[in-house]
Amino acid sequence: MHFARRRIMVAASAVTTLAAASSLVAGTTFGFYSSKSGAESNSFTSGTVTLASTVTGACTVVNMAPGDSPAACGLGTTYSGSLSAYLAVDVVIETQAGTGGTTLYNPAGSNGLTVTISDNQTTPVTYVVPSTSTTCPGGAPTGSTCYELDNELLGTSSYANGAADTISTAVTLPSTAGNIYQGGAAQVILTAHAVQAKNNTVACSSTATAGHSCTPSGTFAWS
């Protein structure tokens, strides 16, 4: 299994200092008292949205036999930005057929490789595994069939600096897998990413649910 890049985004926030002036009228001579403020310094500082990713565990498994369930592979994410952020993960599965003629991951069939993706948050999230074939991304092995779901929410609330999560991918080749799966292969690719929460209220085309895709709605956007 291969885990892909991390994404880093920057969003701006601003603090502006403004000065006010006043004038006074005294009696009927219209003598004006006036004052002028000293020079004011305006300061603008950009916030940051930064997500670091590390891969741990057994991420390459070869020569699986029916009945095998190797150790899960973990993608650790740590959020360290100064702005609060929403976190999500993109899931891509690329799969190829071997001598048996059927792709190892075969959601339309039965007895092929099963994939489970979950994390270790205080309330653990189980992520939806894609089951509808899509166009393969660049770099996919020749002859691949691909499945993809993007922007699966780690949670519906924003995350602050120091938030950490480990997303684990577990696979099983059922003991009932037959000869049609011999020599097949699959790659599970996770991409964690973050987008600012300030001035960007999460809104999805369907109910926002942890572990499910959030297709942006209204003014909400993933960068």
Side-chain angles (χ1 to χ4, degrees), residues 94-96 103 136 140-146 187:
E94 303 168 350
T95 185
Q96 304 84 42
T103 56
C136 286
T142 301
S144 293
T145 300
C146 300
Q187 301 80 43

Side-chain angles (χ1 to χ4, degrees), residues 3-198:
F3 291 86
R5 65 194 180 282
R6 64 179 182 273
R7 296 179 183 174
I8 298 175
M9 296 163 218
V10 176
S13 62
V15 177
T16 305
T17 302
L18 301 177
S22 64
S23 62
L24 301 176
V25 177
T28 60
T29 61
F30 297 98
F32 290 93
Y33 293 89
S34 64
S35 69
K36 184 177 181 181
S37 69
E40 299 290 338
S41 175
N42 297 323
S43 177
F44 303 87
T45 303
S46 293
T48 60
V49 175
T50 305
L51 186 66
S53 301
T54 57
V55 178
T56 61
C59 297
T60 301
V61 180
V62 297
N63 294 329
M64 287 185 68
D68 280 355
S69 295
C73 182
L75 172 67
T77 63
T78 302
Y79 180 66
S80 57
S82 62
L83 294 171
S84 59
Y86 300 114
L87 306 185
V89 64
D90 300 340
V91 180
V92 177
I93 300 178
E94 303 168 350
T95 185
Q96 304 84 42
T99 55
T102 301
T103 56
L104 185 62
Y105 179 69
N106 181 30
S110 60
N111 301 325
L113 188 76
T114 61
V115 178
T116 302
I117 301 172
S118 58
D119 68 17
N120 68 344
Q121 296 187 74
T122 302
T123 301
V125 175
T126 297
Y127 298 84
V128 177
V129 176
S131 59
T132 301
S133 60
T134 58
T135 301
C136 286
T142 301
S144 293
T145 300
C146 300
Y147 303 84
E148 181 172 0
L149 281 175
D150 293 335
N151 303 320
E152 296 197 43
L153 292 170
L154 273 66
T156 55
S157 298
S158 61
Y159 291 79
N161 184 292
D165 188 15
T166 297
I167 304 171
S168 297
T169 300
V171 297
T172 298
L173 187 59
S175 58
T176 50
N179 289 341
I180 61 173
Y181 296 107
Q182 283 197 75
Q187 301 80 43
V188 179
I189 303 167
L190 304 184
T191 305
H193 58 97
V195 67
Q196 73 178 72
K198 185 178 181 181

